[in-house]
Amino acid sequence: SPPVRRWAPPRLAVGAACAGVAALVVTAVLMPERMSGRLYAAPVAATESHRLPDGSTLVIGADSRVRIDYTWLGRTATLERGEAYFDVAHERRPFRVHAAAVQVTVHGTRFEVRLEDTRDARVRVADGIVAVESPSTGNVVELRRGQAVDSTSQGRLSTVQPVDPDQVAAWRQGSLVYRDAPLQLVAADLTRYSGRRFVVNDPKIADLRVTGIFRASAIDDALQSIETVLPVRVVPAAKDVYVVMPRTDD
């Protein structure tokens, strides 16, 4: 009878397979350890800075919270409250930030993400390039140094706006910077950075616009400036609670 031939894989295929396995092993060794669902949070009236396993830096604003998930496939941050500044180490894996209805994707850059009432989001870029995507609408905006975009709770993206890249996340140096910002937003920031609560109950003044630079360590000076420029007054209502209301002429 004829001899039985046994199949043997080509040496080239075997070599390629071994190389692939070796690459996976090397990748697993070189990539930072898996980190699932680690929560970083800063208290009221304070900021915190953290070094992440991949060498990136995370700076969290007052009364803010960020959840970090790292796998060998990607790096993900979820901004749950407040604001955060990311200085992302460049590597093959993308770094994604989820904030309300948008997703920010980068490989290595410096940028800030802010939540307003946990629904609306703002992205500002200090350096590099980021892609801001709204999964609900499919729209994608590319931002570069000195650019910003806003997102509504429905995922609608605004037009790209210019910003001063040197003032991105200026709260890291203790400055609260506003350009045509609604009074309601400013009051929320003063609450987070002072430990006192400032309430704007009257919708007629909630959207009054504020432009200025205030020191987070001098909230009373900020209040005085706001009362001087806008037709409002700040009235104590309870312990550490203040109501911002329309100013009436006596």
Side-chain angles (χ1 to χ4, degrees):
S1 59
V4 177
R5 294 186 177 180
R6 299 183 180 274
W7 179 85
R11 293 183 178 179
L12 183 60
V14 172
C18 292
V21 172
L24 288 175
V25 171
V26 170
T27 300
V29 170
L30 293 180
M31 289 296 185
E33 61 181 337
R34 175 180 171 83
M35 183 170 62
S36 178
R38 180 167 180 180
L39 184 64
Y40 294 87
V44 172
T47 63
E48 291 191 358
S49 180
H50 299 275
R51 188 79 164 176
L52 301 181
D54 64 339
S56 298
T57 299
L58 166 67
V59 187
I60 310 171
D63 193 24
S64 299
R65 189 168 63 200
V66 180
R67 190 173 298 277
I68 301 290
D69 290 276
Y70 275 22
T71 70
W72 68 278
L73 289 175
R75 304 169 288 173
T76 302
T78 301
L79 180 61
E80 299 183 350
R81 185 174 66 222
E83 59 201 357
Y85 174 83
F86 301 87
D87 186 346
V88 179
H90 184 82
E91 64 166 62
R92 185 186 310 173
R93 296 178 301 169
F95 190 105
R96 295 186 176 91
V97 179
H98 298 281
V102 296
Q103 173 180 281
V104 183
T105 303
V106 305
H107 283 271
T109 187
R110 295 183 288 123
F111 63 101
E112 173 193 23
V113 183
R114 173 192 173 96
L115 280 180
E116 298 172 11
D117 296 329
T118 71
R119 297 186 303 271
D120 301 340
R122 181 165 223 224
V123 181
R124 302 197 302 172
V125 180
D127 191 39
I129 302 174
V130 309
V132 181
E133 178 185 1
S134 170
S136 62
T137 65
N139 292 335
V140 180
V141 172
E142 184 177 272
L143 299 179
R144 296 175 179 270
R145 172 181 166 86
Q147 292 184 326
V149 71
D150 296 327
S151 168
T152 67
S153 56
Q154 293 78 33
R156 291 193 298 269
L157 300 179
S158 70
T159 57
V160 175
Q161 308 152 27
V163 295
D164 184 346
D166 294 329
Q167 291 185 345
V168 171
W171 44 264
R172 292 174 296 147
Q173 287 81 41
S175 296
L176 305 178
V177 180
Y178 303 101
R179 180 180 178 184
D180 199 35
L183 179 60
Q184 183 81 59
L185 181 150
V186 176
D189 281 354
L190 297 182
T191 295
R192 292 192 299 112
Y193 279 91
S194 70
R196 291 177 279 173
R197 186 182 175 198
F198 297 95
V199 182
V200 182
N201 284 332
D202 193 329
K204 291 183 295 186
I205 64 172
D207 202 44
L208 291 177
R209 297 289 150 164
V210 177
T211 296
I213 301 176
F214 307 128
R215 295 298 301 172
S217 59
I219 297 298
D220 288 335
D221 292 343
L223 295 175
Q224 184 176 358
S225 297
I226 292 172
E227 287 182 313
T228 300
V229 174
L230 298 180
V232 301
R233 60 194 183 105
V234 182
V235 180
K239 179 177 173 56
D240 293 331
V241 178
Y242 299 80
V243 176
V244 184
M245 59 177 57
R247 184 174 65 234
T248 57
D249 296 328
D250 297 331

